[in-house]
Amino acid sequence: MRIEELCREVVNAKLEAGYLESNVWTGYSEFYSPLISFCRNCGEEEFSPEIIARYREYSYERMERGEIKEHRYRAIMAGVRQLVEFNETGKLYWEAQAKESKFPVSEYYSGLLEQFLKSEQFHKNTRGDVIWVSKRYFSWLMAEGFETLDGVGVVQIQKYLCECHDHLKETSIHNILLYLKKLYRFLKDSGYSDHDYKELLSMKICRESKVLPAAAPEDVNAVLNVLDMGTVTGRRDYAIILLGWVMGLRAVDIIRLKLTDIDWKKGEVRVLQRKTSVPVILPLTKDVGEALQEYILNWRPKCDYQEIFLRARPPFRPFKDAVCIGDQYDVYCYRAGIKRMPFDGKGFHSLRRAVGKNMITSGVSVNTVSQVLGHTAMNSAKKYISLDAKNLKECALDFNGIEVSR
């Protein structure tokens, strides 16, 4: 197919998806027209991997010479990826490009990792950590001159753990020990190692445990007051915030809520939690129900997706990651004048902690709090006791019988 025809088909696909015509043609003039001109100057009119590779190299050289900025170069590469994707599949998925691992490993170690991942059913939430731990360790072995596991033993593992201790936090070291133990158990069972080094990798790590704050009512009200309720975004985010503030749902569960998860007759919301895979059924309160009803009936974009919450701009589709909800909440905090610090615990998840705290301070048992929030272990709900400052003061001992001196 001729490159110019392919570019126009991509433009038509974007228009059909609901993109503003002005934005589409602006993108055409900024990204596709220069590509078409480059190909003509090279005497090429047909789309091919070779001409795309040459254009990528040409664009990179322009960035190196300072003719274009890095963000401009990345935008050009995104446009090129869309062309390649459309040429191969006939569709545009608008998927973000996955970041490459900072720990490259050889084909030998990649094969070991692939076998390791297939040997055990890792939860989606932990699979990324398993890959990170394994690649980090394998990359370190390669840097130490071990192209295979031959000769790797206690001395090397101890040296690696010592270097991790010098550069990583306790939580990361805990994960490294946990997944290295699983890795070496697999390596021994598969015949790649004579030992599983269970004793060495079973050392206890004391991890720092912070008591993060719960959202304050005045802060939540300030955030709700800055929402523009005359827009799709405002109506959508109002319902999202109430689901966190009133019902204590995690962001990752909110973005996965489907239209069929709400039983309007019984007044219930059914949630299969992503983190724990534990299903919970929660009562649909009046304020949350009204917010959801208003968004679904009057503001939600018309499309075939079953997920309740969609992008406010085309292409209209569900959120891919819960991070976007946290980021948007941070924006509202800034607009509301709420002072924030990095890792201050005042993000979207603080709404869930507020629900736990409010139930504890109201005298609800820890067991009930655990069930409402869908915890797999009751100990997970005990942390909310630490947020009950009023009742904790009653547990404090006085100084009777204790000599106080300066």
Side-chain angles (χ1 to χ4, degrees), residues 243-290:
L243 283 169
W245 172 242
V246 178
M247 303 182 67
L249 293 185
R250 300 182 182 92
V252 69
D253 294 325
I254 292 175
I255 66 171
R256 298 171 69 239
L257 272 181
K258 292 183 172 57
L259 296 170
T260 53
D261 290 333
I262 301 178
D263 190 329
W264 296 100
K265 292 183 178 180
K266 292 184 178 180
E268 295 176 344
V269 178
R270 300 183 180 92
V271 181
L272 179 60
Q273 298 179 108
R274 173 69 180 275
K275 181 178 180 180
T276 62
S277 298
V278 174
V280 293
I281 300 178
L282 301 173
L284 181 63
T285 59
K286 181 180 179 181
D287 48 356
V288 176
E290 291 177 350

